[in-house]
Amino acid sequence: MERLDKRLANTGKWSRKEARELIRAGRVQVEGAVCRVPEQKVEETANLTVDGEAIGGSGPVYLMLNKPAGVVSSTDEPGARTVLDLLGEEWRNRGLFPAGRLDKDTEGLLLLTNDGPLAHRLLAPKRHVDKVYYVEVDGTLDPEDAEAVRAGIVLGDGTVCRPGELELLGEGRARITIHEGKYHQVKRMLAARGKPVRYLRRERFGPLALDQNLPKGGWRALTEGEIRALFRQ
Ligand code: URA
């Protein structure tokens, strides 16, 4: 446990005096609640925000990123712009990695964390964490496609997908829910139907929904409630 003003000052962004002023002004939240007491002792792992922005610490970190197209999810692809490049300096060296990957041209919800055991659990194939995507294809999507997704699509290489759901939104647009995470899964499922994907965005990952207020490339710390929901998953 450490004093709140010291935790803020340790980030190097504010002096101890500035930190105390921020706290007294009600601009600092601890676990989602405003704290106006600079001497308040906080856990190493407590989520702290200043003006709604998460600040670094030493505990586990859970961030929601609205991934834009053109950046790669892997953290170490030489020469490529990675999702970690979208975060500020204070998140460097925190051991963050994406829990699951999105293709370079896929947008939307990506969970970044340094909590290995949680990520491992969420990605375990037997856990069947739901993933929901908004998708646009060349051509039209029809009730037969929805039925095929419900029955379990067989990919080009013979792999059988678990049944999913395809909600038709008109023309070549749909919302697709899958309960596993095979490589390029949505694109391969719809390619198997002769409907090449031209746009893909993840809207949900398990209990997490993409925050509509996050611009492309924007991110925020998960709320306590969101973190709790992930642990219940
Ligand atoms: N399915 C895909 O084909 N690509 C993604 O990025 C995610 C799911």
Side-chain angles (χ1 to χ4, degrees):
M1 301 274 269
E2 212 172 26
R3 283 171 58 126
L4 182 55
D5 55 355
K6 185 150 184 292
R7 274 289 303 279
L8 292 191
N10 285 349
T11 64
K13 286 179 148 184
W14 303 280
S15 67
R16 203 60 180 259
K17 181 165 174 281
E18 286 167 339
R20 280 197 290 272
E21 286 167 359
L22 284 174
I23 296 164
R24 292 205 180 100
R27 293 167 62 185
V28 178
Q29 294 197 337
V30 179
E31 303 291 5
V34 171
C35 176
R36 293 173 187 269
V37 186
E39 304 73 18
Q40 176 72 49
K41 292 274 180 44
V42 292
E43 299 276 357
E44 291 287 298
T45 54
N47 279 308
L48 305 183
T49 60
V50 175
D51 295 335
E53 290 231 6
I55 63 144
S58 54
V61 176
Y62 308 91
L63 305 179
M64 170 188 297
L65 171 74
N66 184 0
K67 179 191 171 299
V71 298
V72 298
S73 298
S74 74
T75 50
D76 58 356
E77 205 171 299
R81 189 160 177 246
T82 78
V83 288
L84 293 188
D85 294 329
L86 299 170
L87 306 179
E89 247 335 280
E90 69 270 32
W91 299 102
R92 304 247 162 240
N93 308 319
R94 297 292 304 274
L96 288 171
F97 58 89
R101 292 193 174 179
L102 294 176
D103 298 335
K104 187 172 179 182
D105 58 354
T106 301
E107 298 182 346
L109 175 55
L110 195 62
L111 169 65
L112 294 167
T113 184
N114 52 6
D115 185 337
L118 177 73
H120 192 73
R121 281 216 326 265
L122 292 172
L123 299 175
K126 65 173 169 3
R127 221 165 262 268
H128 309 308
V129 172
D130 291 356
K131 289 124 197 151
V132 181
Y133 297 84
Y134 168 79
V135 63
E136 291 178 9
V137 300
D138 288 336
T140 53
L141 288 163
D142 51 43
E144 276 179 34
D145 296 314
E147 184 46 42
V149 170
R150 197 162 33 242
I153 283 190
V154 182
L155 302 181
D157 64 359
T159 306
V160 181
C161 296
R162 292 176 66 84
E165 293 89 49
L166 187 77
E167 181 195 346
L168 301 174
L169 299 175
E171 301 274 308
R173 301 179 301 115
R175 187 161 287 116
I176 184 166
T177 304
I178 57 174
H179 310 282
E180 53 194 342
K182 299 184 196 303
Y183 184 61
H184 292 329
Q185 182 162 344
V186 174
K187 290 177 185 164
R188 288 159 75 210
M189 284 169 76
L190 294 173
R193 299 287 307 159
K195 315 277 168 90
V197 169
R198 58 177 160 83
Y199 177 77
L200 191 60
R201 180 177 68 234
R202 183 151 69 189
E203 296 189 326
R204 295 195 72 97
F205 176 70
L208 296 183
L210 179 62
D211 186 331
Q212 300 300 314
N213 294 319
L214 281 181
K216 286 180 193 174
W219 56 274
R220 66 160 172 79
L222 294 193
T223 64
E224 260 309 285
E226 287 170 331
I227 295 171
R228 266 200 304 274
L230 278 182
F231 275 91
R232 278 198 304 268
Q233 179 71 41

